[in-house]
Amino acid sequence: MSQSSDPDEPAAPPAAAPRRRRPRTASPAPRSTRMPVAERRQALLDAATTVIARDGVRAASTRAIVREAGMSLASFHYAFESHTELMRHVIERVLVDEVHSVTEVLSGAAELTEGPVTLPELLGAALDAFVAAVEADPAREQAILELHQYALREPELADLVKAEYAAYDEAAGGVLEAAAAATGTRWTRPVGELARYVVTMTDGLTTSWLSFRDPERIAAAREYAVAGILQFSEPDPDAAPREGAPGPDA
């Protein structure tokens, strides 16, 4: 058909030149896919610990953890088979750190043995150091309590809490033995039993501080705790006297 010659009809616009399509390139892979598995696992563990400390265990879903780590959800399964496996590693890490921290805190009271010291002073110093550690980082202590409860509800994880308390008992037993040796004292009950008693009391001090944040309340509880332990002590007639030492009940 011939082109119209009507002068009132607008001329057709010139045809646009075809656009050159840029060759498609693959999107850069997420950083997590290029990370070694060990590094990826570490990053996810760090992220999970951060989420739990900040928002609590309930908030530590797989999606929240990978978001905190800056990873894709798919990358999670290159590092862990399941959320439960990840939480096992988180709990193991946190509890190992906690046992190490408590052991250091309680053992630090042994520095008093460099000079004359009484058994009440030694026990009081150990409990004071423990409470000070709780006061210094209550969010951490609360996260640990939440992890305890989470582990106890998961049959696959309950063994972790038992292992943790076995380590606490061992640390407390070591402190009791050192305190007795330093003050010419002996215990009237097996040290293992007394260690569990001490750990139970420190649990109570922790929850009391987290609940009330009341120094006077904690100070009173600490005084009763020391008195409760002392009732199971007596002077050791076979202990070698220490020069200048005032004895266990001075």
Side-chain angles (χ1 to χ4, degrees):
M1 185 169 66
S2 62
Q3 187 175 3
S4 172
S5 59
D6 186 345
D8 296 328
E9 182 179 353
R19 297 178 61 184
R20 295 184 59 187
R21 298 177 62 87
R22 294 183 179 179
R24 296 185 64 181
T25 57
S27 300
R31 179 176 177 271
S32 60
T33 63
R34 298 196 300 267
M35 295 170 64
V37 173
E39 185 179 341
R40 188 181 305 151
R41 288 167 68 91
Q42 185 67 34
L44 287 166
L45 288 172
D46 290 342
T49 303
T50 298
V51 171
I52 291 168
R54 184 184 63 220
D55 305 320
V57 173
R58 289 185 178 181
S61 65
T62 301
R63 290 184 181 276
I65 292 168
V66 297
R67 183 167 54 248
E68 183 71 28
M71 298 182 185
S72 67
L73 188 60
S75 68
F76 174 88
H77 297 288
Y78 285 96
F80 296 100
E81 292 183 359
S82 65
H83 182 268
T84 299
E85 184 192 3
L86 168 66
M87 292 300 291
R88 168 172 280 276
H89 286 278
V90 169
I91 293 170
E92 285 176 343
R93 172 204 270 189
V94 170
L95 298 190
V96 166
D97 288 348
E98 174 71 357
V99 169
H100 179 71
S101 175
V102 169
T103 301
E104 281 193 335
V105 165
L106 294 179
S107 298
E111 295 177 1
L112 292 175
T113 62
E114 295 176 359
V117 64
T118 67
L119 184 60
E121 288 172 341
L122 254 181
L123 297 176
L127 289 177
D128 285 344
F130 177 84
V131 171
V134 175
E135 293 175 350
D137 197 351
R140 176 176 178 273
E141 295 298 328
Q142 186 166 338
I144 290 170
L145 289 178
E146 288 187 39
L147 285 171
H148 285 175
Q149 294 301 314
Y150 176 85
L152 290 173
R153 291 190 181 97
E154 297 290 333
E156 299 176 43
L157 303 177
D159 62 295
L160 296 176
V161 177
K162 293 179 181 179
E164 177 200 11
Y165 272 85
Y168 286 161
D169 292 346
E170 183 178 358
V175 171
L176 290 172
E177 290 176 343
T183 58
T185 303
R186 67 183 180 187
W187 300 108
T188 60
R189 302 286 299 182
V191 170
E193 292 182 8
L194 292 177
R196 292 192 289 275
Y197 176 50
V198 169
V199 171
T200 299
M201 286 191 293
T202 56
D203 274 352
L205 290 171
T206 299
T207 54
S208 182
W209 172 255
L210 292 176
S211 300
F212 298 99
R213 313 293 173 99
D214 183 348
E216 292 185 3
R217 187 186 187 98
I218 292 296
R222 174 261 201 204
E223 182 178 348
Y224 287 122
V226 171
I229 302 169
L230 288 175
Q231 67 178 311
F232 302 111
S233 68
E234 64 183 13
D236 185 354
D238 299 325
R242 297 181 64 206
E243 185 178 351
D249 300 316

